[in-house]
C-alpha cells in the first residue's frame, strides 16, 4: 500500500543512473526520499487510514545514527539520511493521533495488553540478536 525508499539506491552504477534520470524527468531533481502509495487503496481507505499510512512511511525516512546514537552528518554538513526500520517508538505518535485500527496495529495493541505467551527471557534465548541484550 505504501513504500519509502531513498531517492537513489545506495549501490548499482547503471540502475542508479537510470533511476536518477527518471526522477529528474518526473520531479526536476532527485529527492532525498521517495514515497509511493497505491492509488486504489488511497481511493477506498478512510482518511485516518491514509494519514496513518503516510505517517508510517514518513517514519521510515530518517537520519543515520552513529555508534553512540547521535545523528550522522556528511562532510558538507548536510544530514546523512537513511531508512529506519520499525520499532515501537515509531508507532506511538501514529496510534495516538489515528488510533490502533487506522494505524493497523490493533493486533499489536491487543497482544501488548495480554500477558506474554513466552517470557522475555525465553525470547532472548531463541534470537541471536536479543541474546546479546539478555546476556
Ligand atoms: Zn513500514
Amino acid at each position: 500500500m505504501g513504500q519509502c525508499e531513498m531517492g537513489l539506491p545506495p549501490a548499482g552504477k547503471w540502475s542508479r543512473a537510470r533511476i536518477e534520470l527518471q526522477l529528474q524527468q518526473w520531479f526536476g531533481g532527485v529527492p532525498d526520499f521517495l514515497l509511493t502509495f497505491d492509488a486504489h487503496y488511497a481511493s477506498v481507505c478512510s482518511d485516518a487510514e491514509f494519514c496513518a499510512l503516510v505517517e508510517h512511511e514518513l517514519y521510515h525516512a530518517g537520519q543515520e545514527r552513529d555508534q553512540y546514537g547521535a545523528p550522522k552528518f556528511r562532510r558538507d554538513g548536510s544530514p546523512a539520511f537513511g531508512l529506519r526500520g520499525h520499532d515501537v517508538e515509531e508507532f506511538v505518535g501514529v496510534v495516538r493521533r489515528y488510533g490502533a485500527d487506522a494505524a493497523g496495529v490493533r493486533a499489536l495493541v491487543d497482544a501488548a495488553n495480554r500477558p506474554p505467551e513466552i517470557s522475555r527471557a525465553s525470547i532472548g534465548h531463541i534470537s541471536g540478536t536479543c541474546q546479546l541484550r539478555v546476556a
Side-chain angles (χ1 to χ4, degrees):
M1 304 306 154
Q3 180 174 309
C4 178
E5 307 165 86
M6 296 298 295
L8 286 178
K13 183 178 175 186
W14 286 102
S15 62
R16 197 175 154 96
R18 184 179 61 240
I19 291 169
E20 183 175 359
L21 175 64
Q22 187 176 33
L23 291 174
Q24 289 198 351
Q25 289 174 340
W26 284 354
F27 306 118
V30 178
D32 294 317
F33 294 97
L34 182 65
L35 276 65
T36 308
F37 298 96
D38 182 285
H40 176 70
Y41 175 76
S43 71
V44 297
C45 69
S46 71
D47 288 348
E49 287 170 329
F50 186 70
C51 288
L53 176 62
V54 170
E55 194 164 324
H56 175 100
E57 298 307 330
L58 285 170
Y59 270 118
H60 281 301
Q63 189 171 358
E64 293 179 2
R65 301 276 168 175
D66 68 15
Q67 60 190 1
Y68 306 105
K72 274 185 165 179
F73 294 88
R74 301 197 189 291
R75 289 181 184 194
D76 65 2
S78 64
F81 292 123
L83 294 177
R84 295 193 309 171
H86 299 143
D87 67 28
V88 174
E89 188 178 287
E90 290 175 359
F91 288 115
V92 170
V94 176
V95 173
R96 190 177 58 239
R97 282 187 284 285
Y98 307 106
D101 292 318
V105 294
R106 170 57 59 201
L108 174 66
V109 171
D110 291 345
N113 285 323
R114 282 190 222 107
E117 295 174 352
I118 302 172
S119 74
R120 184 170 19 158
S122 297
I123 293 170
H125 289 98
I126 59 172
S127 165
T129 305
C130 294
Q131 262 186 342
L132 298 172
R133 294 183 182 157
V134 170

